[in-house]
Amino acid sequence: MQNFVYAYPTKVYFGKGAAKDHLAGILRDYGPNVLLAYGGGSIKKNGIYDEITGILKAAGKTVTEFSGIMSNPTFAKVEEGARLAQDCKADLILAVGGGSVIDCCKIVAAQAVTEEDLWEVEMVRHGAPQGKPIPLGAVVTASGTGAEMNGGAVITNEKAKIKGGMFAAAPQFALLDPDYTMSLPRMQVLSGAFDTLSHAMETYLGRSDRDNVSDEVALAVMRSTVVNMRTLLKDIHDYTARSNLMWTSAMAENGILKVGRVTDFECHQIEHQLGAYTDCNHGQGLAVLHPAYYRHIAGDAADKFARMAQAVWEIGPAGKTNQQLAQDCVQALTDFIAACGLPSKLSQLHTKAEITPALLREVADSTNLLANGPRQLTHDEVYEILMECL
Ligand code: NZQ
Ligand code: ZN
């Protein structure tokens, strides 16, 4: 174990009826002005908007709406939200949505209390936001990212063509009702769950020392995510599987898997830059990239991949070397992605830009290269990986 400090900043209310049962009570701790943030309108179709605004009204809150937060939220959208939060003197920002809405609001909460440009502060000067952010609460309508239980936010700067991780305060509370996710399109359910699997794999493949409990927890999260995704392939609305996945999603990104060890997250770095250039869906981008990335690095962490082969994919070790088991592990992951109907080629992603070798070269050259995975890649190798996914 490496040295660490660990604290849980977010109070979680989990289960059917979470908002109906708890939101009114939670709101008593906050002042009268609420900035209600949401995405492109799904919450108006599935009744969540009516339920939440009904509770806010009954609690006597003055509500200002911040709507239209897009998938892969932009820094321009953060600035719009920060202006609204200042104008309405928000006492609380309530983010109702998936990772995109929650991430955008984390930075809105910090940007609204400073005159400094937080992109400049964090992404250019590598500093930390100053000032006490506006309190934030999350009502999760799409699970997978785990954004509701951490302080990280992934924001796109369209001008700079960078999709990068910023940091602010985590939500003070999060309401997780699996029923709120039932209206999600099938592909978003599966790509969100794949994102969770990716988080656990990326964490596990960072360097850890012998017999590390965080490795054991990561393997359990992977196994549970795969089992519940398989259940969803038979019945996408299976409540038990949806609720299990909602919690594995939070578990994978609430920091518990990361204590006392470093993490990999190189595949996320590549996907984020792919997102910056193409606006592709996060979980689907990861599904395309993971097998190719792992084919490149499996030999550098054969023992860990071999353990994953057995613990997650139930591959018997008899007569096999760890190198062979590592290859089997990558193949099992590839087969699972295909069985889920997730994309396996870049051409299957819905993108706003045509994916060409020239574009992939730019993606590769602007990808962050991290040092804590099985082996540090070069920009040329990132390009090779991307080209293998064409
Ligand atoms: O915008 P609306 O109309 O609400 O539609 C959304 C969006 O189109 C829809 N949706 C959400 N809840 C729904 C629903 N549709 C029907 N019924 C519901 N209940 O789903 C679509 C996707 O939503 P989005 O929030 O974009 O997806 P996700 O939760 O996958 O978030 C992706 C973002 O999170 C970042 C990603 O990079 C990406 O920008 N991540 C954040 C992380 C974090 N903060 O810890 C970690 C992750 O690795 C990830 O990078
Ligand atoms: Zn992710």
Side-chain angles (χ1 to χ4, degrees):
M1 279 276 161
Q2 297 186 349
N3 297 359
F4 65 87
V5 174
Y6 183 71
Y8 251 94
T10 307
K11 184 162 181 177
V12 175
Y13 300 82
F14 187 96
K16 250 184 212 300
K20 234 184 296 169
D21 292 348
H22 299 291
L23 185 56
I26 295 168
L27 289 172
R28 285 192 213 112
D29 292 341
Y30 299 94
N33 301 321
V34 176
L35 185 71
L36 174 66
Y38 55 94
S42 68
I43 66 165
K44 292 204 166 162
K45 293 188 197 126
N46 56 23
I48 295 173
Y49 174 88
D50 288 342
E51 182 154 288
I52 299 295
T53 50
I55 295 168
L56 288 167
K57 261 188 220 143
K61 302 295 177 184
T62 304
V63 176
T64 301
E65 295 196 14
F66 171 37
S67 63
I69 300 172
M70 64 292 276
S71 288
N72 301 324
T74 62
F75 192 68
K77 198 68 187 174
V78 168
E79 293 176 306
E80 179 192 325
R83 281 191 297 273
L84 274 175
Q86 286 170 344
D87 290 349
C88 76
K89 299 188 170 39
D91 298 300
L92 170 70
I93 300 174
L94 191 61
V96 185
S100 297
V101 173
I102 299 168
D103 277 5
C104 183
C105 289
K106 286 176 190 168
I107 308 304
V108 166
Q111 182 64 75
V113 297
T114 176
E115 292 305 313
E116 289 199 288
D117 175 318
L118 283 190
W119 184 272
E120 178 74 21
V121 170
E122 291 202 35
M123 305 301 285
V124 180
R125 303 207 306 262
H126 306 293
Q130 299 299 311
K132 196 169 171 225
I134 297 170
L136 171 67
V139 178
V140 179
T141 68
S143 75
T145 66
E148 63 274 15
M149 282 187 79
N150 64 53
V154 189
I155 302 295
T156 300
N157 184 321
E158 289 179 297
K159 275 186 231 141
K161 287 202 168 153
I162 292 174
K163 183 175 175 187
M166 299 180 72
F167 288 89
Q172 293 187 351
F173 63 87
L175 296 155
L176 275 67
D177 182 345
D179 273 342
Y180 273 17
T181 71
M182 286 297 177
S183 53
L184 274 167
R186 178 187 174 89
M187 187 51 90
Q188 181 60 38
V189 175
L190 294 169
S191 58
F194 188 81
D195 189 21
T196 299
L197 179 62
S198 167
H199 296 156
M201 294 190 298
E202 297 251 54
T203 304
Y204 170 77
L205 286 167
R207 283 197 307 279
S208 53
D209 53 15
R210 183 171 42 84
D211 302 331
N212 192 300
V213 68
S214 300
D215 284 351
E216 295 293 338
V217 183
L219 288 166
V221 168
M222 286 179 224
R223 198 165 44 239
S224 179
T225 302
V226 168
V227 164
N228 285 292
M229 284 176 78
R230 285 191 176 128
T231 302
L232 289 188
L233 294 181
K234 291 183 214 123
D235 175 9
I236 197 74
H237 292 111
D238 185 292
Y239 179 85
T240 305
R242 289 290 190 102
S243 60
N244 286 336
L245 286 167
M246 203 166 199
W247 187 239
T248 55
S249 161
M251 277 290 289
E253 275 298 305
N254 66 11
I256 196 84
L257 270 53
K258 301 179 185 178
V259 291
R261 45 100 43 80
V262 294
T263 63
D264 180 10
F265 278 87
E266 186 60 61
C267 197
H268 265 68
Q269 300 301 311
I270 303 172
E271 194 287 327
H272 285 165
Q273 271 318 93
L274 188 66
Y277 277 77
T278 70
D279 200 29
C280 66
N281 175 282
H282 177 60
Q284 293 177 36
L286 290 169
V288 173
L289 293 168
H290 258 295
Y293 172 52
Y294 285 165
R295 278 195 297 274
H296 277 249
I297 61 156
D300 300 290
D303 294 358
K304 274 204 160 172
F305 275 97
R307 198 166 151 203
M308 192 173 16
Q310 295 167 74
V312 180
W313 304 110
E314 296 176 350
I315 297 170
K320 290 181 179 166
T321 63
N322 278 356
Q323 286 290 347
Q324 286 164 329
L325 283 167
Q327 300 306 321
D328 290 353
C329 180
V330 179
Q331 190 56 51
L333 176 68
T334 309
D335 295 344
F336 178 67
I337 290 165
C340 290
L342 287 163
S344 54
K345 288 284 166 203
L346 292 173
S347 55
Q348 292 169 284
L349 298 175
H350 300 285
T351 55
K352 71 175 181 198
E354 193 194 342
I355 298 185
T356 61
L359 179 136
L360 294 182
R361 186 75 245 182
E362 287 186 50
V363 170
D365 288 345
S366 57
T367 293
N368 250 344
L369 304 176
L370 302 178
N372 293 327
R375 174 166 55 80
Q376 184 161 8
L377 302 180
T378 61
H379 289 298
D380 283 347
E381 196 171 3
V382 173
Y383 180 63
E384 275 174 40
I385 290 168
L386 286 162
M387 288 298 287
E388 286 166 24
C389 297
L390 255 185

